[in-house]
Amino acid sequence: MTQTYQRVSKNIENSASWQQKYREIMLLGKTLPPLADILKTDDALVQGCESKVWMFVEFDLTENALVVIGDSDTRIVKGLLALILALYNGLTPEEVLNVNAYEEFEKLGLISHLSASRGYGVKAMVEKIQTLAKQKAR
């Protein structure tokens, strides 16, 4: 787990109600820079998401780390995406494979409040990252 994730998840974790958590997630989404329209291609769309989510997962050979960028057309999903990016960006493929995003989201009290379609979307985003990590793990 990255230091960025630990920092950004604190506000969500410390929120007393679901409404406050929801607000924190949307504020987190505002921190993601928008993806250039030219990058919003069908190939970049994450399959399984009800909202549109564009995500690129690459591997930086010089840093031995995953680099993930993305965007969404809805505020809450963009916030969830930002949380996922904070969780995985900069980790080695081996580290990525040892992070269970579902458990992390459960610790934050998010899983029980996400609709089924948003839950599937989170799963699809994480699976895309995990797939590349499995390909790159040594």
Side-chain angles (χ1 to χ4, degrees):
M1 180 178 340
T2 68
Q3 289 180 343
T4 302
Y5 177 77
Q6 291 173 343
R7 182 177 41 78
V8 300
S9 65
K10 276 284 186 236
N11 289 341
I12 297 168
E13 188 175 11
N14 294 331
S15 296
S17 67
W18 168 241
Q19 289 80 11
Q20 287 175 326
K21 288 180 189 291
Y22 194 85
R23 183 177 181 278
E24 290 297 330
I25 292 167
M26 287 195 298
L27 288 172
L28 185 57
K30 287 183 176 184
T31 66
L32 272 187
L35 205 57
D37 286 340
I38 196 163
L39 295 175
K40 293 180 180 178
T41 65
D42 288 344
D43 289 343
L45 281 173
V46 177
Q47 300 303 311
C49 292
E50 189 173 294
S51 300
K52 288 188 177 184
V53 176
W54 300 272
M55 193 164 65
F56 293 90
V57 184
E58 296 295 331
F59 183 69
D60 182 343
L61 290 173
T62 59
E63 296 293 325
N64 190 34
L66 257 63
V67 178
V68 188
I69 61 169
D71 202 351
S72 178
D73 64 345
T74 60
R75 291 186 301 170
I76 188 68
V77 174
K78 189 168 182 169
L80 294 169
L81 174 61
L83 197 56
I84 291 168
L85 299 185
L87 185 60
Y88 288 111
N89 258 329
L91 297 181
T92 67
E94 293 80 9
E95 290 169 332
V96 167
L97 295 175
N98 289 320
V99 172
N100 185 326
Y102 183 86
E103 284 180 8
E104 294 303 321
F105 276 43
E106 185 68 40
K107 287 178 195 174
L108 295 176
L110 301 181
I111 297 299
S112 61
H113 292 288
L114 294 178
S115 66
S117 64
R118 285 199 180 121
Y120 292 133
V122 166
K123 184 178 179 197
M125 289 183 262
V126 170
E127 283 178 355
K128 186 169 183 171
I129 293 168
Q130 293 277 338
T131 298
L132 182 70
K134 285 177 188 170
Q135 293 169 358
K136 299 296 182 180
R138 296 179 188 170

